[in-house]
Amino acid sequence: MGRLESGIMIIAQISDTHIALDTPDAEQRIGDFERTIAAINALDPAPDVIVHTGDIVHNGRQDEYAQAVAILATARAPVYVLAGNKDNRANLRAAFSACGYLAPDSEFIDYAVEEFPVRLIAVDTLSRGSNKGDFCAARARRLIGLIDAESTKPIAIFAHHPPFEVTVGPDPLNFETPEMMARLREALQHTGRVVASFSGHVHRAAAGHVGNITATVVPCIATTLRKGDYPAHMKRRPVYHLHRFDPLWGFATETRIVETEPSSAVFGGRRH
Ligand SMILES: [Fe+2]
């Protein structure tokens, strides 16, 4: 019996690649993204799917998306993307339209992926007005509709902004108002079938709960933007998460650190 037939699946989650072509660290951001996809391609067992939880690019520009699409085209596993606060819905949708899972005429970038043992639901928390998250009543209705569209499988939710307070940072609330985060938390608990929530945005590892739902944050792939304390030898090594679902035990999350070329930071200036 194959892994998926037994109900087991592996999700690779990456986030916050912030591709920008006009910044001094542009090459580093591209390299971090490329090395991460290469590392995921080399995994054994291979993941069933890769989810990018937003801030794919930094300025929402078409040329930035073209770069991101080219890098993601090298991935062996199918890729699904979300909108972060730095993304531009129209340009993101245009860049990834060929993938077929983004509705061309939808106001929001939210959708469900049905072909795995766990349903994957992408939530749109992008705000027009700020870098913080927005979750309006219309989006809550849409999320509840996506949850209700199937009644047997467990669900993993992907949302750029974490639906819990991240206390190690400048501001624990990552939504514009506490009411917006409360609205998302309430919708996530609708029917009890959501078993995990996976986010990005804060560029550091974090974990919390939404009722009985485990909620985690993956650090950013862009190493120059990463927050939190990491040893010097990790300075150029992106971090991503592998979420393995087992129908008996639920989700287990593993942190993966991408190998990188020997650098002067590691080897004292001499390349081996
Ligand atoms: Fe963000």
Side-chain angles (χ1 to χ4, degrees):
M1 188 162 60
R3 188 168 78 211
L4 290 176
E5 287 71 37
S6 62
I8 294 170
M9 76 174 294
I10 301 173
I11 304 165
Q13 183 197 0
I14 60 175
S15 201
D16 296 85
T17 43
H18 289 266
I19 292 299
L21 304 178
D22 54 358
T23 174
D25 62 341
E27 287 301 318
Q28 182 67 41
R29 296 188 196 187
I30 290 168
D32 289 339
F33 198 175
E34 288 175 337
R35 280 189 293 279
T36 302
I37 297 301
I40 293 171
N41 283 343
L43 288 172
D44 182 16
D48 301 292
V49 65
I50 300 169
V51 181
H52 190 313
T53 41
D55 284 357
I56 303 164
V57 304
H58 196 69
N59 302 295
R61 283 166 38 172
Q62 290 176 345
D63 54 355
E64 296 171 333
Y65 282 113
Q67 183 73 55
V69 166
I71 294 169
L72 288 172
T74 66
R76 294 206 175 117
V79 178
Y80 293 90
V81 300
L82 270 68
N85 48 291
K86 298 291 187 186
D87 287 303
N88 173 289
R89 285 197 192 95
N91 288 344
L92 185 159
R93 197 179 278 117
F96 292 94
S97 62
C99 301
Y101 60 86
L102 298 175
D105 50 358
S106 171
E107 184 181 358
F108 300 109
I109 295 180
D110 51 2
Y111 54 88
V113 180
E114 307 286 2
E115 68 245 46
F116 299 110
V118 178
R119 298 182 73 217
L120 315 179
I121 294 183
V123 176
D124 184 328
T125 54
L126 174 53
S127 163
R128 282 181 196 278
S130 80
N131 281 331
K132 288 195 167 194
D134 186 359
F135 198 69
C136 54
R139 282 182 258 203
R141 283 193 299 275
R142 293 167 66 95
L143 175 54
I144 286 169
L146 288 169
I147 290 172
D148 281 340
E150 203 272 356
S151 60
T152 62
K153 290 183 187 175
I155 299 167
I157 295 284
F158 295 85
H160 181 70
H161 296 83
F164 62 94
E165 288 196 321
V166 178
T167 51
V168 197
D171 183 351
L173 181 67
N174 287 288
F175 282 80
E176 288 177 346
T177 66
E179 290 73 25
M180 289 175 180
M181 189 164 83
R183 184 182 285 132
L184 174 55
R185 290 171 66 89
E186 188 182 341
L188 292 179
Q189 294 176 85
H190 175 69
T191 75
R193 285 202 306 283
V194 175
V195 295
S197 162
F198 302 124
S199 296
H201 181 62
V202 291
H203 294 197
R204 63 171 79 232
H209 284 92
V210 180
N212 291 326
I213 304 165
T214 300
T216 60
V217 175
V218 67
C220 55
I221 292 297
T223 52
T224 47
L225 302 176
R226 192 163 60 203
K227 299 197 176 77
D229 294 328
Y230 291 89
H233 68 270
M234 277 184 62
K235 202 168 180 204
R236 294 286 175 257
R237 297 181 63 181
V239 175
Y240 67 96
H241 279 173
L242 286 179
H243 307 293
R244 183 180 189 276
F245 180 81
D246 180 300
L248 201 55
W249 309 115
F251 270 108
T253 291
E254 186 182 333
T255 297
R256 287 292 183 130
I257 303 162
V258 175
E259 290 290 345
T260 191
E261 295 284 321
S263 69
S264 55
V266 178
F267 293 100
R270 281 179 294 124
R271 283 188 174 266
H272 289 222

